[in-house]
Amino acid sequence: MNRRRLLARGAAGAAGAATLATPNLASAQPRLRWRCPGSFPKSLDTLWGTQEYIARRVSEMTDGAFQIQAFGPGELVPALQVLDAVGAGTVECGFTSGYYYLGKDPSLAIVTCIPFGLSSRQHWAWLTHGGARELYAEVYRDQGVVGIPAGNTAAQMGGWFRKEIKSVEDLKGLKFRIAGYGGNVLGKLGVVTQQIGGPDIYPALERGVIDGAEWVGPYDDEKLGFNRVAQFYYYPGWWEYSPSIDMMVNAKAYEELPAQYKAVLNAACTESWHWMAARYDVLNPAALRRLLASGTQLRGFPRDVLQACYKATQELYAELGEQNPRFKRLHAKWDAFRIEQTQWLRVAEDSLGNFLAVQTAQR
């Protein structure tokens, strides 16, 4: 009997020790509550949805100890001032795109995307294995933030127009909403460009303040109602093949995060980067069919327009490189990566074509 009691006590003691040895993340780490303003309309379950997704995943992975509260444009700061608020420490983090702030540093455009750039697959390779994160850290450091890739829309459309674009001449004098250096390229061709926050694009189109606008793609554009105020929908969005959206974190706040929270935040952002791209891939085709059924006229940019845009893009890169040594250095590395990836893509496509040809011949 005594031996049985001794064994029972031993088992209970071992169970207690096992319980004590299992850490509870919520109690082992500090409880944090961060504010996260964003640049994207709350009506969009893609962009805004990704901001919410990150907050939810961080909470889930820390048993609720690390909370990020998402805010829409204008609730804490205006849509295009998120980087300023994060860098100043007014808020701990923000969900926005670097190219909204290229006036501070032209290299911030490369952080998001630049015209005639990378596909989403190539972009992720560039970010994770091509050295981009290290290069971008230098750019963001000057702004007082740490940038973590946290979303990607994949390929975008070329925007909405009230009239057809049949030649380069049709671009002259056109008032067009666009973000990033795509606007500078179009400016070289006579377009009057404006950068307007997402929530303000529809009213500007409706009132005739602008003649056209680009945003993302069929799903978001349908939700924002652009098809009700512009008839012609163009592709491709050559200025935004795969824009990467960042979770920008105040540098001091990031430095003070426990190592485990840093790992959680980075993991949640990586997950959300792919979550967003996949969501767009699923939602865009059906949205495009609905738009076409409602009367939207789908058009491809004429070849002479694309050629003129490409030529103007190369001129712009040369000019920016002369004005800004950092942009020149980062762009040179980005471009070398792009060229290498393009060459590999051609080999892969040829290999796939030969494989399919063999399969077909054997049937």
Side-chain angles (χ1 to χ4, degrees):
M1 181 65 70
N2 291 340
R3 186 170 57 186
R4 289 177 183 171
R5 287 177 182 171
L6 184 61
L7 289 172
R9 288 174 184 170
T19 301
L20 291 172
T22 303
N24 184 303
L25 185 58
S27 61
Q29 299 282 16
R31 303 192 72 85
L32 296 180
R33 188 176 182 86
W34 280 11
R35 295 159 299 165
C36 179
S39 297
F40 310 106
K42 295 178 78 171
S43 60
L44 301 179
D45 57 344
T46 43
L47 289 157
W48 166 255
T50 302
Q51 189 177 341
E52 289 187 308
Y53 183 85
I54 295 169
R56 183 170 70 252
R57 292 296 292 131
V58 167
S59 177
E60 290 171 350
M61 287 190 278
T62 59
D63 294 329
F66 187 4
Q67 296 280 340
I68 296 177
Q69 186 176 2
F71 292 91
E75 291 182 341
L76 288 182
V77 296
L80 303 182
Q81 294 179 25
V82 174
L83 172 59
D84 304 81
V86 176
T90 306
V91 293
E92 294 80 11
C93 61
F95 189 65
T96 188
S97 295
Y99 72 175
Y100 287 153
Y101 314 95
L102 55 81
K104 298 175 180 294
D105 185 336
S107 299
L108 284 167
I110 304 179
V111 168
T112 302
C113 68
I114 51 178
F116 296 98
L118 305 170
S119 69
S120 55
R121 178 175 173 177
Q122 292 169 336
H123 203 153
W124 186 248
W126 164 239
L127 286 169
T128 55
H129 298 287
R133 290 287 301 274
E134 293 75 19
L135 294 172
Y136 296 166
E138 170 193 339
V139 179
Y140 276 139
R141 192 178 302 117
D142 289 350
Q143 306 303 322
V145 305
V146 173
I148 307 173
N152 189 285
T153 69
Q156 294 197 5
M157 294 291 285
W160 297 85
F161 298 81
R162 294 181 183 277
K163 65 176 185 178
E164 286 192 79
I165 305 300
K166 297 181 178 179
S167 68
V168 176
E169 287 296 312
D170 292 328
L171 295 174
K172 294 181 179 178
L174 186 81
K175 293 174 291 184
F176 191 64
R177 183 275 173 195
I178 185 172
Y181 276 129
N184 297 65
V185 172
L186 289 174
K188 285 177 169 289
L189 302 179
V191 177
V192 180
T193 62
Q194 298 183 41
Q195 180 166 272
I196 302 173
D200 302 318
I201 298 174
Y202 181 91
L205 264 174
E206 188 179 38
R207 296 197 306 268
V209 175
I210 53 178
D211 304 311
E214 62 82 33
W215 179 244
V216 175
Y219 183 75
D220 283 359
D221 294 359
E222 179 189 36
K223 272 186 166 288
L224 294 177
F226 299 152
N227 57 307
R228 298 197 296 270
V229 286
Q231 179 182 6
F232 299 101
Y233 198 24
Y234 274 82
Y235 67 89
W238 47 266
W239 50 84
E240 288 180 297
Y241 280 161
S242 66
S244 185
I245 300 160
D246 285 348
M247 176 62 76
M248 298 186 186
V249 184
N250 176 268
K252 186 173 184 295
Y254 187 80
E255 183 181 341
E256 293 174 350
L257 272 182
Q260 196 155 9
Y261 282 8
K262 287 178 182 175
V264 164
L265 182 59
N266 277 274
C269 288
T270 294
E271 190 177 322
S272 69
W273 199 95
H274 296 284
W275 184 89
M276 179 191 286
R279 186 162 179 77
Y280 274 115
D281 282 345
V282 169
L283 296 174
N284 276 331
L288 182 58
R289 288 195 297 270
R290 290 192 298 271
L291 288 170
L292 297 178
S294 72
T296 293
Q297 300 295 306
L298 187 64
R299 298 284 188 275
F301 284 120
R303 181 168 291 275
D304 69 315
V305 170
L306 290 175
Q307 289 173 336
C309 289
Y310 183 81
K311 181 175 181 292
T313 295
Q314 304 314 309
E315 293 171 357
L316 176 66
Y317 292 157
E319 292 166 6
L320 291 170
E322 290 178 3
Q323 299 163 7
N324 189 289
R326 174 187 280 170
F327 180 91
K328 183 175 183 178
R329 175 168 51 85
L330 265 64
H331 179 261
K333 293 184 178 181
W334 174 91
D335 201 40
F337 183 86
R338 180 192 63 81
I339 292 170
E340 186 176 61
Q341 288 294 305
T342 301
Q343 292 170 341
W344 164 243
L345 182 61
R346 287 173 182 160
V347 172
E349 287 178 342
D350 286 345
S351 299
L352 178 60
N354 291 332
F355 175 72
L356 293 175
V358 170
Q359 276 191 322
T360 303
Q362 291 180 346
R363 288 178 181 174

